Amino acid sequence: MGNSKSQTGSCVSFSIGLDIGGTKIAGAIFDKYGKEVAQKILPTPADYSALVTTSMQILAELEGKGDKASVGIGVPGPVERGTVAAAVNIPALIGKPIKADLEKALGRSVAMANDADCAALSEAIDGAGKGFANVFGLIMGTGVGGGLVVNGKIVQGANGLTGEFGQLPLPFREASDGPLVDCPCGQKGCINKTISGSGLARLYQSMTGKEADAEKISAAARTKDADALRVLDQFYTTVAKAMITVLHTYDPDVIVVSGGLNQLPGLYDEVPKRWERFAMRKNLVTKFVPAKHGAMSGLRGAAWLGKSTS
């Protein structure tokens, strides 16, 4: 890791982005115009060697759709000297030389960054954050994380921890924010376990006594289901509290949201309405918007990263 450096540029025709997530490994290959050529998704194995094999399977299949391509990888957690220093949703990845192992198998260099950094980079370059100087990319899905891009450059930080607000405790926590649960990081009540998909499901169960995952809750809310709407009303207040850590720390021009929860109905209207209740000043100008490239933000950003460093 080190200080920020430019992540833009172009020197190859095709670029592959690989996004290693808690439940799936997604890959896509793009042409020189940034158009997707092909995509491949497989479940994330629990075993590290199987994870490397699965990643190589995806890369090999995608490269067969184009030409020899640059490769960029997005991974959860802070990156340190080619390894993932912490990954609460993929324990098998922690401390393993994933970058070196893939480089050895491919026979060429691979770029690697935090998945939220990749998503933020994609949206800052040609997505919902284009034209803004200070872009915070928020991922809300299996886990919660963030990445910061300032003037087109990823801000990684001295320890690779920039944007890792998901491992902070939820501020202004109340019983209505849902059960206080242990986080794999070793702490209790982290934002990562509170505004993630599993956090929404726990909140739904605690408020209704019924079980449903985030996808079902979202679908029910769109049909005006009373329980789902009531739970989301509380959830958006909880998300607003979490955003205070971002607003008070980075004060971004725009927060761009990607991940599995980024299409929850009402998310982008309700959260900004509520965050000023907890902020130290009013009339905040920060935008809160969905990622233009949606679930593809991380993949596109990883591909940008690989192309710029090949």
Side-chain angles (χ1 to χ4, degrees):
M1 299 301 293
N3 295 327
S4 306
K5 66 178 180 177
S6 175
Q7 305 293 348
T8 58
S10 176
C11 54
V12 295
S13 295
F14 289 86
S15 56
I16 293 175
L18 194 69
D19 187 5
I20 301 177
T23 58
K24 65 180 183 295
I25 301 176
I29 183 169
F30 303 88
D31 66 17
K32 63 181 180 180
Y33 302 108
K35 181 180 179 181
E36 182 185 332
V37 176
Q39 185 179 158
K40 178 73 173 180
I41 299 175
L42 291 174
T44 302
D47 175 72
Y48 174 70
S49 62
L51 189 151
V52 173
T53 299
T54 299
S55 298
M56 281 303 305
Q57 179 183 343
I58 293 172
L59 292 172
E61 183 169 330
L62 290 174
E63 197 157 68
K65 305 292 185 180
D67 198 354
K68 179 171 282 191
S70 63
V71 177
I73 304 171
V75 292
V79 175
E80 185 177 77
R81 292 186 292 277
T83 68
V84 181
V88 297
N89 297 307
I90 317 178
L93 197 58
I94 299 174
K96 296 295 195 300
I98 181 69
K99 182 176 184 292
D101 286 343
L102 291 178
E103 286 178 333
K104 182 178 179 180
L106 284 168
R108 60 186 185 276
S109 63
V110 168
M112 187 169 79
N114 172 266
D115 53 3
D117 286 345
C118 291
L121 180 64
S122 172
E123 292 297 323
I125 290 174
D126 65 351
K130 184 178 180 180
F132 292 97
N134 188 333
V135 179
F136 190 87
L138 167 65
I139 293 180
M140 290 175 61
T142 304
V144 176
L148 182 66
V149 174
V150 178
N151 295 324
K153 301 175 183 179
I154 292 175
V155 179
Q156 297 173 321
N159 303 289
L161 294 174
T162 300
E164 292 292 345
F165 81 106
Q167 301 314 132
L168 294 173
L170 180 75
F172 314 110
R173 179 179 278 278
E174 302 169 278
S176 57
D177 293 308
L180 191 67
V181 299
D182 292 331
C183 180
C185 76
Q187 305 302 318
K188 185 185 289 287
C190 290
I191 290 170
N192 179 58
K193 302 300 288 185
T194 306
I195 65 167
S196 59
S198 61
L200 176 56
R202 277 190 294 274
L203 181 64
Y204 184 85
Q205 184 176 33
S206 70
M207 290 180 65
T208 70
K210 299 180 291 186
E211 292 188 1
D213 61 19
E215 185 176 354
K216 290 181 180 178
I217 296 167
S218 179
R222 293 181 190 282
T223 66
K224 307 301 182 184
D225 177 82
D227 282 339
L229 290 173
R230 181 166 58 91
V231 171
L232 285 183
D233 181 66
Q234 171 57 50
F235 186 69
Y236 294 150
T237 297
T238 305
V239 173
K241 292 178 181 181
M243 291 303 96
I244 292 303
T245 61
V246 173
L247 291 163
H248 283 182
T249 304
Y250 306 112
D251 198 16
D253 296 308
V254 60
I255 298 173
V256 182
V257 188
S258 59
L261 300 187
N262 88 323
Q263 292 301 315
L264 288 175
L267 178 67
Y268 302 102
D269 292 326
E270 294 302 324
V271 171
K273 287 180 184 177
R274 300 160 193 239
W275 65 30
E276 289 194 356
R277 171 185 164 193
F278 308 103
M280 68 178 294
R281 59 158 293 184
K282 307 306 176 187
N283 301 315
L284 302 183
V285 298
T286 299
K287 307 291 185 184
F288 190 67
V289 299
K292 176 181 177 181
H293 302 298
M296 293 298 293
S297 293
L299 285 175
R300 289 176 60 85
W304 273 108
L305 186 72
K307 180 181 288 190
S308 66
T309 56
S310 62

